[in-house]
Amino acid sequence: MTDRRDELAANLAKVEERIAAACAAAGRKRDEVTLIVVTKTYPASDVRTLAELGVRHVAENRDQDAAPKAAECADLPLSWHFVGQLQTNKVRSVVGYADVVQSVDRARLVTALSKEAERSGRELGCLIQVALDAGVSGRGERGGVGPGGVGELADLVAASPGLRLDGLMTVAPLTGEYAGRQQEAFGRLMDLSTDLRRAHPAANMVSAGMSADLEQAVAAGATHVRVGTAVLGVRPRLG
Ligand SMILES: *Cc1c(COP(=O)(O)O)cnc(C)c1O
């Protein structure tokens, strides 16, 4: 247990150093970037240790794993981000613990989230997940709406009771014109964020960058990076 704590502390310190260096290189203040630790596939005990080490934001991508973990960690001062593809039949459960859903990508999901947030008397933060591997108004391989669909979906979120439009999220695409070009992909996301903020000035969150490409995301202007492997280790299974 102590070994695991030391390991997590050392990994966190390394990630912190990387974020600080990336901020310095980009001429940004360190506090402009928030670290979200992606704890998927790892146990609640790790989440607890991370909270003790000062982590305040965690993310999960599967409700089946996240719901019991969040329940076990309900006493901790953590914000929970949901970052996975979300089916409407899981919405009730997710709204029970998530503070932010980063993977909002279709109108039907917005309607379901709004209904459930209102029912439970919660305000839920929403990021539109942008699929940069989609065609102009298409959909992404791993969820997300194409750039052409962002505006309409954002307006819908902003008009939906119980929901707060916080900004945009993306995962650097493995296929299509941005494959292997993280810097350009994140730059495109920033342009979309600029457009979004014309209509919705408060929606200024930009969630981009993971263990392998957080530097490029910070350079582009991301406000939130989502880091799993670099903090917790290589995941034992796909997730
Ligand atoms: C797993 C995951 C991450 C973290 O990825 P790592 O490469 O482990 O840092 C970030 N964002 C999303 C949406 C994820 O599913």
Side-chain angles (χ1 to χ4, degrees), residues 38 40 61 83 142 169 171 210-211 226-230 235 239:
V38 184
K40 64 189 183 195
N61 72 336
V83 299
R142 304 172 62 193
M169 180 271 247
V171 178
M210 319 200 296
S211 294
R226 309 178 307 270
V227 179
T229 312
R235 282 179 290 277

Side-chain angles (χ1 to χ4, degrees), residues 15 25 54 126 158 161-162 171 196 198 200 213 215 223 225 233-234:
V15 167
C126 293
V171 178
L196 177 72
R198 280 197 196 101
H200 305 281
D213 53 22
E215 281 84 1
T223 63
V225 293
V234 175

